[in-house]
Amino acid sequence: MRIILSLILVFSLFSNAQNNYPQDYFSSPLEIPLVLAGTFAELRSNHFHSGVDIKTQQRVGLKVKAVASGFVSRIKVSHYGYGKALYITHPNGYTSVYAHLQKFSPDIEAFIKKQQYEQESYEIELFPKAEDLPLLKDSLVAYSGNTGSSGGPHLHFEIRDKEERPINPMLFGMDIKDTTYPTVKSIYAYPLDDHSFINKSNTKQKLRLTALKNGDYTTENIEAFGNIGFAVNTIDRQDLAANSNGVYNIQTFINGNRNFEIDFGRFSFDETKHINQLIDYEHFTTEKQRIQKLFKKNNPLSLYKSVLNDGVIKVEDSTYSIYKIRVADFKNNESWITVHIKGSKQSITKPKEKRITPYYIKANQATNLKAGNVTVDFYKDTFYEDFYLDFEVKNDTLKLHKDIKPTKKNFNITYDVSRFTNEDKNKLYIAKLIGYKNYPAYTSTKRKGDLLTASTKKLGTFALTMDTISPKISAVNFKDKQWLSKYRYLKIKITDEGSGISNFRASINGKWILMEYEYKKNMLTYDFNDSIITDTKNNLKVIVTDNVGNNSTFETFFYRK
C-alpha cells in the first residue's frame, strides 16, 4: 500500500506542480553550483520564508546575474529586512527578487546613489520605468552580500507572480541535489475539546517516536476518544548542506483516506502572519521548537489543500484506526509516520488545567481594558480564539498575559504620563521586558499630549521606561587631523544603550554624505569614491539621534589630497 500511495502522490505532485510553470525560462542567479541554506516557505519567526537562500561559499562579492531579460522595476535599500534588494520584472509576467546584496552593478549603483544624494537618505525605495534600467538575461546586476537582517553571507532569491505572490523557485526548474529523506524530530497528539482524551489525558501528549531502517517512523500505540489532532516537528536537508530546512509537502491519511494536506508551493504576503496559528505557538515561545499542526483551526492559509473535517480525527469507542503522515521534500524524498489508534472511552485521569480570570477575550469582539494609568485596546479579530487573559498593572509595569497566544493584528497599549514633567515626558517610551533579566526592548512608541501609545502584536510584560542617555559615536579607522589621502572608506561606530538608534546624519564641509549603516556591526561607512570632497582640509560632522530624541554630535577634521 505504501508503494502504491507513493507512486500516486509522486505523479500527482509532479503533474500538478511542475507543468504549470516554465521550466527553461530562468537561468541561475549565480555562477557557482547552487547549494541552499534556506528553502521556500520554511517556518521562520512570524513569517514563511518567501524565497530560497543560496549559499555564497561564506563570501560576499559574488556576481549576481539577471535570471532572464527584463527591467529593474523596484530598488529598495534599508537598514533591516532585505537590506539592499533588487526587483526585475520579466516579459512573462514574473518578477525575480535578489536581496541582502553587497552592492549593485555600476549603472544601477549610479542610478541609486543619484537619488540617495538628492533625497539625502541612505534608506530609499525606487520604482524605475521600464526604459530606465533594461536588462538582458545573465547580465550582471549586483554582488552578493550580507546586508539587512541576514545572518551570514548568502543570496536571498525569489520569483513572484503578477499578484506579487512568492512562488517556490524550484517549480521553475532550479535544480538542487537532494536524495536525503526528511527527518521527523517529534510528534504530538492533541485532544481538541474538553470531552476528548488521549491515554486518559485531556492534555497534549508527546508520543514516543521510533525510527525504522527504511527511513520511516512508528510511534507508541495510543488509546483515544473524541476529536483529536496531531502535530509534527520535521526538517529537511539537501545532500550538500547540513542546514535544517523546511519540507515541501505534508499529507495525512486515516485508514487509507487522505484527510489533510499542506503544500508549500505559493503563498501571499498578507497571509504569512498566520504561520503562528499553523504552529503550536505556545510550544514555540516556551520550548523554542516549531511543531506544525496537522489540523486546521481558524486558519485561512491558502497553503492548505485537501482538508477533510479540518484534519481532525474523530475516534469512537471500540474502534481501531491507522493514522499515517507523509512528509516529503521537493524531490519527493519521503518519510512516513504510522500511528495506531485504539478507540476507548475511559475516564480522564489527567484533565486539562483551566485558568479563569476576570478578563475573558472574545476573538470576534473589540475589548478595552483599563487599570491605573494603563489602557489596552484589542480590536475585533485580534486573536484567533476566545480565552481568559491575565491583566495586571503595578508600578508602571503591565503584565498582559504570557506571549503564548498568536495574534492576527496589532493592538495598542497606552500610558497616561500626565504626572511627569514635560522634560521627562520627552524621554519616556514603552518597552517590552525580555528574558529572565527583564531587558527593556523598545516598542515603537508615539506621544500625543499626556498619552504614550505603543502598537504591538505580542502579549507579555511591558513597562514605562525612561531614556536619558545619548548615543555614543567614535571614529574607527582614523584619528582627528589625520591625512586620509590613501583611504577608500571612512568608518564611524555608533551605539545606544537605551531606546535604540532612530536616525543619523553625516556631512563633510556642510554637504550631506551617504553613509551606509550596518546595524549588526554598529558601523557607518562612507565611500570616498562618491567624490563629494574637493578641499584639502575637511570638517566631518555626524549627528546620531535615539528613539526618544536624545542626540550626540561627533565632529573632527581630516586632510585629503
Side-chain angles (χ1 to χ4, degrees):
M1 179 179 178
R2 180 183 189 278
I3 296 175
I4 295 174
L5 277 172
S6 297
L7 290 174
I8 293 173
L9 290 169
V10 168
F11 177 77
S12 175
L13 286 171
F14 184 83
S15 60
N16 292 336
Q18 305 285 350
N19 295 342
N20 292 337
Y21 301 99
Q23 296 299 292
D24 300 313
Y25 190 87
F26 297 112
S27 61
S28 173
L30 295 173
E31 297 175 330
I32 59 173
L34 299 186
V35 179
L36 299 188
T39 52
F40 181 82
E42 66 183 19
L43 311 181
R44 300 284 181 90
S45 293
N46 303 312
H47 70 285
F48 296 103
H49 189 224
S50 56
V52 292
D53 288 342
I54 305 173
K55 288 176 175 285
T56 56
Q57 301 173 341
Q58 300 180 340
R59 297 182 291 159
V60 300
L62 274 63
K63 292 180 179 179
V64 178
K65 304 183 300 179
V67 294
S69 297
F71 69 95
V72 177
S73 54
R74 182 184 178 195
I75 305 166
K76 188 172 184 181
V77 178
S78 55
H79 301 316
Y80 309 103
Y82 281 6
K84 295 183 179 182
L86 189 71
Y87 301 71
I88 301 174
T89 295
H90 306 285
N92 64 353
Y94 293 103
T95 297
S96 56
V97 183
Y98 316 75
H100 305 308
L101 303 169
Q102 179 194 47
K103 59 182 179 180
F104 303 95
S105 64
D107 54 340
I108 299 175
E109 189 82 15
F111 182 89
I112 298 168
K113 281 198 174 183
K114 183 176 183 295
Q115 294 298 318
Q116 288 175 315
Y117 272 98
E118 286 184 2
Q119 298 183 30
E120 295 191 355
S121 175
Y122 170 73
E123 292 193 296
I124 196 168
E125 186 170 16
L126 304 173
F127 296 91
K129 298 177 182 178
E131 61 270 21
D132 289 338
L133 295 168
L135 296 166
L136 294 176
K137 185 175 184 177
D138 293 329
S139 59
L140 175 70
V141 295
Y143 296 88
S144 67
N146 187 29
T147 57
S149 300
S150 169
H154 72 276
L155 174 67
H156 174 88
F157 176 73
E158 300 178 16
I159 296 178
R160 300 182 185 180
D161 64 14
K162 293 179 181 179
E163 298 177 30
E164 281 292 300
R165 293 176 299 188
I167 305 170
N168 192 332
M170 296 179 72
L171 289 167
F172 295 85
M174 176 181 282
D175 190 27
I176 306 297
K177 186 176 181 181
D178 186 0
T179 59
T180 306
Y181 296 124
T183 299
V184 179
K185 303 180 78 171
S186 58
I187 180 171
Y188 291 81
Y190 293 70
L192 297 179
D193 55 53
D194 293 341
H195 308 291
S196 303
F197 57 86
I198 298 166
N199 296 335
K200 299 183 181 180
S201 173
N202 189 234
T203 61
K204 175 178 70 177
Q205 302 286 302
K206 183 176 183 180
L207 304 184
R208 187 172 62 252
L209 193 65
T210 301
L212 305 178
K213 292 182 179 180
N214 65 352
D216 292 342
Y217 301 83
T218 61
T219 72
E220 60 187 288
N221 297 341
I222 64 172
E223 292 188 354
F225 180 79
N227 295 319
I228 68 172
F230 293 85
V232 292
N233 179 5
T234 181
I235 62 168
D236 186 48
R237 288 189 173 94
Q238 285 79 48
D239 291 2
L240 302 178
N243 303 76
S244 297
N245 298 138
V247 300
Y248 181 71
N249 181 275
I250 302 178
Q251 298 179 347
T252 70
F253 303 82
I254 183 72
N255 296 327
N257 299 309
R258 183 165 59 186
N259 77 316
F260 177 90
E261 180 180 2
I262 186 165
D263 183 82
F264 296 100
R266 184 185 69 186
F267 64 88
S268 60
F269 285 106
D270 61 0
E271 64 177 328
T272 192
K273 60 189 175 185
H274 299 305
I275 186 174
N276 287 334
Q277 182 68 355
L278 171 68
I279 64 173
D280 184 331
Y281 186 71
E282 180 176 354
H283 189 95
F284 171 65
T285 58
T286 56
E287 304 295 330
K288 306 306 177 187
Q289 298 173 346
R290 293 185 179 94
I291 57 176
Q292 181 175 310
K293 292 182 287 191
L294 305 180
F295 51 92
K296 181 180 177 182
K297 187 175 182 181
N298 302 325
N299 198 336
L301 276 176
S302 64
L303 295 168
Y304 294 117
K305 302 304 177 187
S306 303
V307 181
L308 177 65
N309 195 31
D310 288 340
V312 175
I313 309 301
K314 186 173 183 179
V315 182
E316 297 180 345
D317 191 26
S318 302
T319 59
Y320 176 79
S321 300
I322 298 178
Y323 180 75
K324 286 184 174 289
I325 305 168
R326 176 187 183 266
V327 182
D329 60 26
F330 186 82
K331 289 295 187 73
N332 281 308
N333 301 300
E334 58 182 22
S335 297
W336 289 78
I337 312 163
T338 301
V339 185
H340 295 270
I341 306 170
K342 179 181 178 182
S344 178
K345 188 175 182 180
Q346 303 176 11
S347 59
I348 297 176
T349 59
K350 188 179 180 182
K352 187 175 182 178
E353 182 181 348
K354 293 183 178 180
R355 177 173 173 77
I356 298 176
T357 75
Y359 309 99
Y360 188 67
I361 303 299
K362 291 188 175 181
N364 64 351
Q365 296 180 10
T367 303
N368 173 269
L369 303 173
K370 183 173 177 58
N373 62 331
V374 180
T375 302
V376 179
D377 290 296
F378 295 121
Y379 303 102
K380 180 182 177 181
D381 292 326
T382 296
F383 299 98
Y384 290 90
E385 55 193 26
D386 304 344
F387 68 101
Y388 284 100
L389 176 89
D390 288 320
F391 173 68
E392 179 186 6
V393 177
K394 186 177 181 181
N395 298 329
D396 288 331
T397 297
L398 164 66
K399 291 184 178 180
L400 192 61
H401 213 72
K402 294 180 180 179
D403 182 19
I404 57 175
K405 297 291 182 180
T407 60
K408 298 181 186 179
K409 61 178 70 171
N410 284 31
F411 58 89
N412 286 343
I413 300 170
T414 301
Y415 276 78
D416 183 331
V417 295
S418 57
R419 75 178 192 272
F420 292 89
T421 65
N422 286 330
E423 183 179 356
D424 286 345
K425 289 175 188 175
N426 291 327
K427 305 301 180 186
L428 292 171
Y429 66 97
I430 299 172
K432 190 173 192 292
L433 303 184
I434 306 295
Y436 69 95
K437 291 186 177 181
N438 286 329
Y439 173 80
Y442 175 79
T443 302
S444 182
T445 305
K446 295 182 179 179
R447 179 186 165 197
K448 188 175 182 180
D450 290 334
L451 299 179
L452 282 182
T453 300
S455 181
T456 181
K457 279 187 176 180
K458 293 194 174 186
L459 299 170
T461 302
F462 299 83
L464 193 61
T465 308
M466 182 174 291
D467 179 7
T468 60
I469 303 173
S470 297
K472 295 180 180 179
I473 311 172
S474 60
V476 174
N477 66 336
F478 67 97
K479 297 178 181 178
D480 186 36
K481 299 178 182 179
Q482 184 177 344
W483 280 89
L484 303 178
S485 299
K486 296 182 179 180
Y487 281 52
R488 167 75 186 272
Y489 299 105
L490 200 62
K491 294 182 179 291
I492 301 286
K493 186 173 183 179
I494 60 175
T495 58
D496 187 77
E497 296 179 1
S499 56
I501 292 169
S502 173
N503 59 73
F504 60 89
R505 179 181 176 83
S507 62
I508 294 178
N509 302 331
K511 295 180 180 180
W512 183 86
I513 60 170
L514 175 65
M515 297 201 83
E516 297 194 8
Y517 178 39
E518 176 52 84
Y519 79 93
K520 297 189 289 285
K521 297 181 180 179
N522 302 310
M523 194 71 65
L524 295 177
T525 302
Y526 169 68
D527 186 348
F528 281 116
N529 282 359
D530 285 357
S531 301
I532 299 301
I533 297 172
T534 57
D535 299 331
T536 300
K537 184 178 181 181
N538 299 280
N539 173 225
L540 170 68
K541 187 176 183 179
V542 180
I543 302 172
V544 180
T545 306
D546 66 19
N547 280 299
V548 298
N550 299 308
N551 63 74
S552 298
T553 300
F554 173 88
E555 196 162 4
T556 188
F557 286 91
F558 66 88
Y559 299 90
R560 184 175 173 87
K561 285 185 179 181

